[in-house]
Amino acid sequence: MAGQRELSAARERLAAAHAVAVLTGAGISAESGIPTFRGAGGLWRNFRPEELATPEAFARDPRTVWEWYLWRRGLIDAAEPNAGHRALVTLEQQRPRFTLITQNVDGLHDRAGSRRILKVHGDIWQSRCTACAYQRKDRALAYPTLPPPCPECGEPLRPGVVWFGEALPRIVWAEAERAVSQADVLLVVGTSAQVYPAAGLIEMARFVMEVNVATTPFSPSVAISLQGPSGEILPALV
Ligand code: NAD
Ligand code: ZN
């Protein structure tokens, strides 16, 4: 667990910062019971996420990919935001210039009460058509047929998330880059920083503070590394 000296250094730095950006990954939702991809519980029916979260997997077997997403929706639906998500709501309320960027698709930041969220990997609670421009908010935990057909053109709907090998949403990404390059502090929470281009944001930042239960490729080079669960560290920070 991070020591008192590091924690107060981080608190001071945060208090002095004019603009603050936060980048979150799957780790911030781990204490809500949502498995990370690389941690325990990341496997589903012996598939690795890399074998399911791709356009190729969906083209080959859309039914299985949808079953996996519906299973994940069920887990998320039964979970609650944790103290880490809530601390970021407090931080947003305290700071006039604050940007939350998340790689998570679970919507727990929304449910905790964060107002402005840049979702660089999309949202599991959205579906969109593989053929036309149709998209919708989608709370379904099951469908009569899989893959569900588009109500406008009949082609399969897909989850509104970004898969491995796909481009990030352009405008959201540009806003994230701008927020990070203008921030006095970037707080990086619960991400293994292995997934590019999101991890590239960390390289762009002026001053990085990291919160993670483990060390990451960035730990040696960040200004302040706070080791421990985000549900404990973040409330202690804000
Ligand atoms: P990741 O790359 O963000 O890695 C998870 C990180 O969280 C690891 O570094 C781990 O040490 C850390 N961690 C675990 N528990 C923690 C805790 N309690 N406090 C602080 N840090 C903790 O995520 P991934 O699982 O490797 O997935 C890669 C991609 O898939 C990312 O886009 C990720 O956000 C997405 N994904 C999203 C969700 C979700 O929406 N909840 C779940 C799984 C994966
Ligand atoms: Zn359509």
Side-chain angles (χ1 to χ4, degrees):
M1 185 75 181
Q4 277 311 318
R5 265 191 44 225
E6 287 160 303
L7 265 176
S8 45
R11 248 187 248 120
E12 269 170 39
R13 185 76 196 198
L14 209 51
H18 189 56
V20 175
V22 180
L23 172 66
T24 64
I28 195 169
S29 296
E31 286 157 89
S32 295
I34 314 294
T36 62
F37 280 179
R38 293 180 180 82
L43 283 183
W44 174 78
R45 294 191 200 164
N46 293 321
F47 289 103
R48 287 179 299 122
E50 293 87 338
E51 298 173 278
L52 294 162
T54 68
E56 293 77 20
F58 190 76
R60 204 181 320 123
D61 188 356
R63 189 185 169 88
T64 299
V65 171
W66 260 116
E67 284 173 347
W68 180 55
Y69 278 95
L70 292 174
W71 171 76
R72 290 178 61 197
R73 278 188 186 175
L75 282 181
I76 295 163
D77 191 53
E80 297 291 336
N82 65 56
H85 297 105
R86 288 193 294 272
L88 295 182
V89 178
T90 307
L91 197 59
E92 180 174 22
Q93 288 163 351
Q94 289 170 348
R95 321 291 316 196
R97 292 188 62 200
F98 176 86
T99 306
L100 175 57
I101 304 157
T102 189
Q103 301 169 83
N104 295 346
V105 298
D106 57 30
L108 290 180
H109 286 305
D110 310 69
R111 277 167 62 193
S114 287
R115 300 299 289 274
R116 213 173 78 84
I117 308 163
L118 299 177
K119 295 177 186 171
V120 295
H121 290 167
D123 190 333
I124 200 168
W125 301 109
Q126 290 245 331
S127 299
R128 61 183 159 89
C129 183
T130 51
C132 75
Y134 177 83
Q135 55 176 346
R136 69 173 181 224
K137 267 198 166 34
D138 193 343
R139 302 283 313 171
L141 301 178
Y143 298 105
T145 51
L146 283 179
C150 172
E152 282 179 8
C153 75
E155 291 299 311
L157 292 180
R158 58 163 283 176
V161 302
V162 177
W163 284 327
F164 292 107
E166 290 186 318
L168 304 195
R170 215 155 40 89
I171 293 171
V172 173
W173 179 251
E175 283 180 44
E177 280 191 329
R178 198 181 48 197
V180 168
S181 60
Q182 291 177 353
D184 302 302
V185 170
L186 172 67
L187 185 58
V188 178
V189 184
T191 178
S192 61
Q194 287 179 29
V195 182
Y196 275 83
L201 287 175
I202 302 171
E203 292 162 355
M204 225 173 269
R206 241 175 268 165
F207 187 97
V208 181
M209 295 200 266
E210 180 182 61
V211 178
N212 202 304
V213 286
T215 54
T216 72
F218 283 95
S219 303
S221 57
V222 300
I224 300 179
S225 169
L226 301 166
Q227 211 164 348
S230 46
E232 292 172 29
I233 305 267
L234 291 179
L237 261 188
V238 300

